[in-house]
Amino acid sequence: MPSVLPVGDPAPLDGLLPAQAAEGAAGREFCLYVHIPFCAVRCGYCDFNTYTAKELGSGASQAEYSGTVNSELDFAVKALAASGVPERKLSTVFFGGGTPTLLPAADLASILRRADQLWGLEAGAEVTTEANPDSVTPESLQTLADAGFTRVSFGMQSAVPHVLKVLDRTHDPERVPQAVAWARAAGLKVSLDLIYGTPGESMADWVASLEATIACSPDHISAYSLIIEDGTKLAAQIRRSEVAAIDDDDHADKYLKADEMLAAAGYTWYEVSNWARSDPDRCRHNLAYWRGADWWGAGPGAHSHMGGVRWWNVKHPAAYAQRLSTSVSPAAGRETLDGRTRQVEHIMLQTRIIDGLATAELGPEGRDAVAGLIAEGLLDGAAAIAGTVRLTLQGRLLADAVVRRLLGY
Amino acid sequence: MSPMARTAPVPAATDPAIIRNFCIIAHIDHGKSTLADRMLQLTGVVQPRDMKAQYLDRMDIERERGITIKSQAVRMPWELDGTAYALNMIDTPGHVDFTYEVSRSLAACEGAVLLVDAAQGIEAQTLANLYLAMENDLTIIPVLNKIDLPAAQPEKYAEELANLIGGDPEDVLKVSGKTGEGVEALLDKIVRDLPAPVGDANAPARAMIFDSVYDSYRGVVTYVRVVDGQLSPRERIQMMSTKASHELLEIGVSSPEPTPTKGLGVGEVGYLITGVKDVRQSKVGDTVTNYAKPAPESLGGYEDPKPMVFSGLYPIDGSDYPVLRDALDKLKLNDAALIYEPETSAALGFGFRVGFLGLLHLEITRERLEAEFGLDLISTAPNVVYQVTLEDKNVVTVTNPSEFPEGKVNEVREPMVSATILAPSEFVGAIMELCQSRRGQMKGMDYLSEDRVELRYWLPLAEIVFDFFDQLKSKTRGYASLDWKADGEQVADLVKVDILLQGEQVDAFSAITHRDKAYSYGVMMTSKLRELIPRQQFEVPIQAAIGSRIIARENIRAIRKDVLAKCYGGDISRKRKLLEKQKEGKKRMKMVGRVEVPQEAFIAALSSDESKDKAKK
Ligand SMILES: Nc1nc2c(ncn2[C@@H]2O[C@H](COP(=O)(O)OP(=O)(O)OP(=O)(O)O)[C@@H](O)[C@H]2O)c(=O)[nH]1
Ligand SMILES: C[S@@+](CC[C@H](N)C(=O)[O-])C[C@H]1O[C@@H](n2cnc3c(N)ncnc32)[C@H](O)[C@@H]1O
Ligand code: SF4
Ligand SMILES: [Mg+2]
């Protein structure tokens, strides 16, 4: 059950953006997200907008997909120009999914080439693709690197077979170090995704996964606490008591363990769920989301943002392809945020990253809350004296509560 | 068999000799309103196309629940042996909470149809209402109803009824309110057996107010039974208790729609409209007389119904307090039994302490407040009234557990009731056990017939008013029936159990219980709250205490993780909406000290399991 789209205003068929989108655009980074909505099998916990070949049936074929995305990129260039948004080079490109590497590497390369032709890539642009460990080969990784990809993010999730089994992951744990080595050999930077707090995962299991991850010495690590999404197979299994429920305290313990082990191995956090070996290894695309940069999201269900205008595409690949075949905007809905709401988002997003935000940007209720949050050990006192709101380790665990208090909610 | 009357006697000009005033009384659900339907139909006052089941149950809540809450009087013509008679029939409620409605109706009548379900036999309210009718010197016509039911045992119950009121089982009429069988014969018997009203037509008017209803179109409609004299349109009338006078804007009879008449004479039952806006100016039990020629002596009044249980009603949205106040004022116009005064709860804010006749009355009132006035309410656990004597001999009346005096008290007295339980004899053991566990004292036991027993107990009101009836039903496979009335008080070993969140007392959760039951209340409430209150950023101990002595304890551990850590693929809108939802959720939180308690937790913790069962029915 792919995740639900938000409720918003209708989006116009011509893709024209409100004037607000163009204001100050020249000073903001511009990024591209490309959604690849295909997976070989659906993992029991996942509610991303992705489909197996069987679910999709006919009507939206993987073979034609890169062509469809390219036509959205063509549409995007025209819509942005018509909306008065100045031309900018791309600073990052991110292929996410789904499983992008389920498409032939040449297809991914063709999309990247089209983006480069339309906008151009900045010098040193970051170009990432997500990948499942068993959907890559040395050759496919080389093709990607040759096409201009700089980075690959593997869905490792765990190194422990019984945990992978609960997660429905099909890959052999041995496969991960191998895939990492191939990526390295192709000249790509590597990130590994982990999930912790899976039912049945012991602390020892988690430590083993962290050790295995560190042993691969990736440049970047994401560690997500397992979220039980409504409508997923895993949610049903838990409801029927076939699988144990998850536990927040266990998640907290495992987060602390991750931070401890990763720090000892030389990784520093820069976002609640993300650690990097050095500043340049941070995922710039990921940071762009939290920093409120502009990005175009191409593909079904993809989200875009431009100067406080957020929109999202129709969810189903067939509906998406149908729109583009008639040169109609694939957007399903959008929101034009007012100043107050942008400020709320700014506080909500910036708080989660290591940059934090300037105390001066808080409203009066937020400034009043800071002292208490420092006393409770959730905000870094030294940083606050220097004028920055920054989460402590404890604060990261309670980040949503901190945000609510900074907003006076 | 009599035909429908060809010409109905004209009100205000009706000879008392052709008037018959009666009410239908019975145990709940024995079919009073359905029998009334057949009478409305047979006498032709309601046309077949207008007919609907329980025609006189007009309030939404009566129709929803299928029970009568308010008495309704109707004038109907009926012809016997060539004479047209005027019958005034009053359909009454059967539920014990509304017994006061029955007693008022009885005072307007010379006779009563005592209806008994032929498949159930005599039950507790059959007896209670029969005794009420006998105290009012009414002529009783025993009738078995629902004889169409396959399970009906008319012969057996005719015997029982005859035993109870004397007379021959043969004389017990057998009818079906469903099919109409026997109803004509019953109407004939009413004409033949019931005495006609007597009064002095030439004396100053004396009319007894037996009901007073607020109607948003017509103002207060006052229902009277004329004893002496005559009331006429446009004359000035006087309320004898207050000496207040009003002009009669309209006078008439219900048949069953209000029908203006040239007045009302001796023995007649009808309504008055004077333009007053408050039922308290036209009080049930008062006597109406002519202003020009007032009667020297009023008729005997009624006792105001006394509230038995109290509960705090609080709007979930504090800003609805004025709406609640106005709503209670409006309901009060029609419900003399409803009493309330403002109170404040540290936990729930501003609300009212409201007195009710029983739990059904509470439930109905709350439902009406919510349905008719769009309110969302929290009602605190109902309690009875205690009299607490302090060491200095001062007596404090406690209608709210939080008023229970701190420190040493001399004695606590609790209200008692006399309860009558009727059940098949095989259940005597189970019933005695139940009453024992509820601190009851047996006062007597009689066999009404070979297999039907009447048990009489003296019990604390607090023990029977809440879940006793459900327990009784379940222990007797639904066969037992219960009636009770207030009967004095007793000294008992009662204590107040407080509930503390993080050391802070939450007044809404305090309860007064017998010392032997304090522990189980404490354990129940603390564990309930532990489930209901979400984890906070700090540990929250939940304690139950008697004074400073902790009797039960639970703990809500501090929350350690409150962050959604997953990759969003740029769906920031979803994340922001979640945040906004949490902000909205916060509005539904009540702060107890530093602890955020969701409204739902109050509602769930305070709702007795028993009222949930009721809602399911
Ligand atoms: N079979 C059968 N059912 C009846 C008869 N009379 C009433 N009922 C049913 O018994 C139930 C109760 O009938 P009501 O007329 O509402 O009883 P009531 O005595 O007015 O009830 P309260 O006013 O709540 O005390 C309804 O479901 C009726 O349909 C009858 O003669 N035969
Ligand atoms: C969009 S997925 C795509 C990656 C790729 N298809 C894979 O699964 O290997 C990105 C990451 O989100 C994380 N993720 C997906 N569903 C999640 C859930 N329900 N709870 C926590 N993390 C989740 C996983 O770590 C996954 O690797
Ligand atoms: S492979 Fe990745 S995107 Fe596909 S279902 Fe599994 S977690 Fe979701
Ligand atoms: Mg009825």
Side-chain angles (χ1 to χ4, degrees):
Chain A
M1 157 115 19
S3 59
V4 253
L5 292 177
V7 183
D9 306 325
L13 301 183
D14 55 13
L16 277 185
L17 297 173
Q20 174 179 327
E23 280 161 30
R28 291 192 300 266
E29 267 195 315
F30 178 49
C31 307
L32 174 65
Y33 172 76
V34 179
H35 190 69
I36 312 290
F38 310 115
C39 285
V41 287
R42 175 177 289 276
C43 309
Y45 57 89
C46 179
D47 81 335
F48 280 96
N49 189 35
T50 184
Y51 305 82
T52 60
K54 209 164 106 211
E55 283 171 356
L56 218 47
S58 60
S61 84
Q62 296 186 13
E64 286 161 23
Y65 186 71
S66 59
T68 312
V69 170
N70 283 339
S71 62
E72 183 179 357
L73 301 186
D74 295 342
F75 180 90
V77 169
K78 285 189 217 134
L80 288 175
S83 307
V85 180
E87 267 187 47
R88 287 168 290 178
K89 290 198 171 204
L90 290 165
S91 53
T92 70
V93 181
F94 194 100
F95 288 70
T99 308
T101 44
L102 210 58
L103 291 189
D107 285 9
L108 300 181
S110 105
I111 297 172
L112 180 60
R113 201 174 325 117
R114 179 69 65 99
D116 190 22
Q117 284 159 4
L118 294 171
W119 288 288
L121 294 172
E122 268 177 6
E126 174 194 280
V127 182
T128 310
T129 183
E130 288 181 342
N132 286 31
D134 48 8
S135 66
V136 295
T137 61
E139 297 72 33
S140 67
L141 289 165
Q142 192 60 57
T143 309
L144 292 175
D146 294 347
F149 282 81
T150 63
R151 212 175 158 265
V152 58
S153 165
F154 289 114
M156 169 176 170
Q157 322 307 4
S158 170
V160 180
H162 74 88
V163 175
L164 289 170
K165 186 143 183 269
V166 174
L167 293 176
D168 275 348
R169 297 298 289 194
T170 51
H171 68 260
D172 179 344
E174 300 295 308
R175 180 80 181 197
V176 175
Q178 213 176 16
V180 172
W182 295 337
R184 278 271 157 67
L188 296 166
K189 286 196 178 188
V190 173
S191 175
L192 295 177
D193 282 353
L194 292 171
I195 290 181
Y196 58 89
T198 299
E201 182 192 57
S202 66
M203 185 53 97
D205 292 336
W206 176 231
V207 169
S209 291
L210 286 165
E211 280 168 351
T213 307
I214 293 165
C216 291
S217 75
D219 308 282
H220 181 279
I221 295 162
S222 303
Y224 303 113
S225 67
L226 178 68
I227 295 173
I228 306 302
E229 300 285 358
D230 284 348
T232 57
K233 176 178 140 201
L234 186 58
Q237 289 172 319
I238 291 177
R239 197 174 55 242
R240 295 193 298 259
S241 305
E242 292 162 16
V243 169
I246 55 166
D247 173 45
D248 275 355
D249 289 354
D250 173 57
H251 282 183
D253 290 337
K254 286 176 177 164
Y255 183 82
L256 295 177
K257 179 56 85 182
D259 192 72
E260 173 198 319
M261 288 178 61
L262 293 179
Y267 295 89
T268 352
W269 82 281
Y270 69 93
E271 191 274 340
V272 171
S273 316
N274 290 282
W275 289 259
R277 203 205 287 279
S278 69
D279 281 10
D281 292 328
R282 292 177 181 171
C283 178
R284 282 164 49 200
H285 186 84
N286 191 357
L287 280 168
Y289 291 158
W290 306 113
R291 287 175 177 159
D294 287 354
W295 74 89
W296 189 283
H303 288 254
S304 302
H305 172 249
M306 198 93 22
V309 182
R310 297 193 181 281
W311 71 95
W312 43 90
N313 285 350
V314 292
K315 232 175 64 181
H316 200 274
Y320 168 75
Q322 201 274 329
R323 293 258 194 139
L324 283 162
S325 69
T326 53
S327 294
V328 166
S329 160
R334 76 175 181 204
E335 281 185 323
T336 304
L337 309 174
D338 58 18
R340 160 84 197 133
T341 313
R342 288 178 81 173
Q343 183 59 16
V344 167
E345 283 197 351
H346 178 68
I347 293 173
M348 168 182 101
L349 298 171
Q350 276 306 130
T351 304
R352 290 177 68 104
I353 53 180
I354 196 162
D355 318 11
L357 88 168
T359 31
E361 293 179 283
L362 293 172
E365 28 346 280
R367 282 197 291 273
D368 285 351
V370 169
L373 289 166
I374 295 171
E376 290 167 38
L378 304 181
L379 288 184
D380 180 336
I385 292 167
T388 303
V389 174
R390 180 173 301 134
L391 295 174
T392 60
L393 179 58
Q394 288 302 328
R396 274 140 68 191
L397 276 170
L398 295 170
D400 289 353
V402 172
V403 165
R404 288 196 297 275
R405 284 169 65 184
L406 289 176
L407 288 167
Y409 283 8
Chain B
M1 289 287 145
S2 316
M4 179 188 298
R6 270 176 304 263
T7 48
V10 181
T14 308
D15 178 355
I18 57 163
I19 295 176
R20 298 291 182 275
N21 297 319
F22 69 98
C23 48
I24 310 177
I25 56 176
H27 191 74
I28 189 163
D29 272 351
H30 277 204
K32 298 173 288 293
S33 303
T34 306
L35 175 63
D37 287 347
R38 296 295 82 73
M39 293 183 169
L40 296 175
Q41 234 172 352
L42 276 175
T43 58
V45 299
V46 173
Q47 298 307 310
R49 68 181 135 83
D50 297 328
M51 198 59 212
K52 58 180 177 206
Q54 287 94 39
Y55 187 93
L56 297 177
D57 289 346
R58 297 182 187 211
M59 288 200 280
D60 288 345
I61 193 122
E62 291 183 313
R63 301 211 66 81
E64 263 163 38
R65 294 187 165 237
I67 58 167
T68 305
I69 293 170
K70 278 208 77 78
S71 292
Q72 292 284 340
V74 184
R75 178 171 170 133
M76 311 177 295
W78 189 249
E79 197 169 300
L80 178 66
D81 303 332
T83 310
Y85 291 84
L87 309 185
N88 286 302
M89 176 257 289
I90 306 181
D91 179 24
T92 65
H95 192 279
V96 60
D97 278 13
F98 304 113
T99 302
Y100 72 99
E101 285 274 335
V102 182
S103 18
R104 298 161 166 196
S105 307
L106 292 169
C109 301
E110 281 75 39
V113 170
L114 178 68
L115 200 62
V116 173
D117 185 325
Q120 306 285 329
I122 294 168
E123 302 202 62
Q125 271 91 45
T126 317
L127 286 187
N129 290 329
L130 169 64
Y131 295 145
L132 273 180
M134 299 200 318
E135 278 167 29
N136 281 269
D137 292 327
L138 299 200
T139 305
I140 313 285
I141 301 182
V143 178
L144 285 168
N145 187 29
K146 307 198 190 181
I147 54 164
D148 59 291
L149 286 176
Q153 294 176 277
E155 306 313 323
K156 175 177 173 192
Y157 294 127
E159 184 90 38
E160 260 189 36
L161 259 177
N163 276 345
L164 186 65
I165 45 184
D168 198 321
E170 295 300 300
D171 293 339
V172 176
L173 278 191
K174 299 176 185 71
V175 307
S176 164
K178 186 173 173 193
T179 65
E181 187 184 343
V183 180
E184 289 192 16
L186 171 57
L187 288 167
D188 290 350
K189 192 175 169 79
I190 287 167
V191 171
R192 281 204 194 96
D193 289 7
L194 295 191
V198 282
D200 183 348
N202 301 316
R206 289 200 301 171
M208 163 74 86
I209 301 180
F210 68 91
D211 203 359
S212 200
V213 174
Y214 178 79
D215 175 314
S216 49
Y217 298 106
R218 302 187 295 170
V220 172
V221 181
T222 300
Y223 292 87
V224 296
R225 147 75 196 258
V226 179
V227 175
D228 293 322
Q230 170 100 15
L231 292 171
S232 317
R234 309 230 71 86
E235 81 167 294
R236 256 194 120 62
I237 55 158
Q238 189 175 62
M239 301 294 168
M240 291 192 70
S241 69
T242 59
K243 299 277 178 274
S245 73
H246 306 286
E247 193 187 340
L248 264 188
L249 302 179
E250 187 179 320
I251 182 166
V253 297
S254 309
S255 113
E257 306 318 318
T259 314
T261 63
K262 297 236 151 55
L264 291 172
V266 170
E268 287 188 301
V269 173
Y271 68 88
L272 315 173
I273 294 175
T274 59
V276 305
K277 289 275 175 259
D278 186 339
V279 282
R280 273 156 290 196
Q281 290 171 274
S282 197
K283 234 169 94 71
V284 170
D286 204 349
T287 303
V288 178
T289 189
N290 314 107
Y291 178 72
K293 190 176 67 164
E297 231 176 286
S298 65
L299 302 159
Y302 306 92
E303 248 177 67
D304 270 340
K306 267 229 300 290
M308 294 287 188
V309 291
F310 287 78
S311 165
L313 290 186
Y314 292 84
I316 283 181
D317 179 349
S319 66
D320 276 344
Y321 176 78
V323 183
L324 174 59
R325 187 189 48 219
D326 291 352
L328 282 168
D329 286 348
K330 286 227 177 73
L331 285 194
K332 167 91 191 167
L333 293 180
N334 266 343
D335 188 349
L338 190 67
I339 67 153
Y340 49 89
E341 54 184 62
E343 77 173 5
T344 12
S345 151
L348 301 175
F350 292 105
F352 291 91
R353 176 105 327 220
V354 188
F356 301 96
L357 299 165
L359 277 204
L360 178 65
H361 188 216
L362 186 164
E363 252 180 65
I364 281 173
T365 305
R366 194 192 142 142
E367 242 174 66
R368 290 188 62 189
L369 288 168
E370 299 199 318
E372 294 171 29
F373 301 91
L375 288 161
D376 278 326
L377 299 174
I378 295 181
S379 51
T380 63
N383 60 271
V384 303
V385 178
Y386 299 95
Q387 304 294 335
V388 181
T389 309
L390 304 175
E391 295 217 296
D392 63 8
K393 297 278 181 286
N394 274 330
V395 178
V396 180
T397 301
V398 174
T399 56
N400 175 343
S402 69
E403 298 163 353
F404 198 86
E406 303 291 336
K408 271 200 121 42
V409 297
N410 232 352
E411 64 173 29
V412 183
R413 273 165 297 136
E414 62 177 337
M416 300 294 288
V417 301
S418 288
T420 307
I421 298 166
L422 259 62
S425 44
E426 53 179 304
F427 299 114
V428 165
I431 296 171
M432 287 168 70
E433 219 172 88
L434 175 66
C435 292
Q436 200 76 35
S437 75
R438 299 306 181 101
R439 301 188 282 131
Q441 285 175 36
M442 174 122 143
K443 291 291 175 193
M445 179 165 126
D446 284 313
Y447 277 82
L448 293 180
S449 63
E450 243 163 56
D451 58 357
R452 195 181 272 283
V453 188
E454 176 188 345
L455 290 124
R456 289 183 303 278
Y457 268 89
W458 200 52
L459 284 149
L461 174 62
E463 296 283 353
I464 72 147
V465 82
F466 306 122
D467 62 344
F468 182 82
F469 187 54
D470 290 339
Q471 289 286 315
L472 181 65
K473 283 279 183 193
S474 80
K475 288 198 183 338
T476 60
R477 293 208 309 274
Y479 280 113
S481 59
L482 166 75
D483 186 74
W484 53 268
K485 58 173 194 283
D487 185 12
E489 50 181 27
Q490 76 171 8
V491 172
D493 189 6
L494 299 165
V495 292
K496 180 172 74 139
V497 182
D498 290 320
I499 303 293
L500 295 87
L501 279 188
Q502 253 209 342
E504 195 147 335
Q505 187 188 321
V506 187
D507 55 4
F509 295 140
S510 295
I512 296 168
T513 70
H514 192 262
R515 192 179 295 278
D516 294 347
K517 290 176 183 164
Y519 175 72
S520 62
Y521 176 81
V523 168
M524 183 274 293
M525 205 51 158
T526 49
S527 59
K528 233 181 182 180
L529 289 173
R530 193 186 58 136
E531 296 302 316
L532 292 168
I533 298 175
R535 293 169 69 178
Q536 320 265 320
Q537 270 178 46
F538 39 84
E539 188 178 87
V540 179
I542 310 172
Q543 297 160 308
I546 301 176
S548 56
R549 195 163 59 83
I550 305 298
I551 57 169
R553 180 188 172 102
E554 292 277 358
N555 217 11
I556 302 175
R557 285 176 306 139
I559 190 168
R560 294 191 42 216
K561 173 177 170 276
D562 182 3
V563 59
L564 214 47
K566 184 189 161 184
C567 89
Y568 296 96
D571 186 356
I572 307 294
S573 303
R574 179 171 167 190
K575 187 160 172 54
R576 193 190 72 245
K577 285 185 173 155
L578 199 73
L579 188 68
E580 280 159 4
K581 212 170 115 196
Q582 290 170 332
K583 179 186 181 184
E584 284 309 303
K586 176 98 184 256
K587 284 197 198 141
R588 290 179 64 83
M589 297 278 185
K590 295 266 185 196
M591 297 301 292
V592 175
R594 287 163 69 213
V595 185
E596 289 179 359
V597 184
Q599 300 284 11
E600 291 69 26
F602 277 101
I603 297 168
L606 293 172
S607 69
S608 48
D609 296 323
E610 172 252 357
S611 69
K612 267 183 244 145
D613 291 348
K614 281 256 174 61
K616 268 186 242 141
K617 277 185 213 158

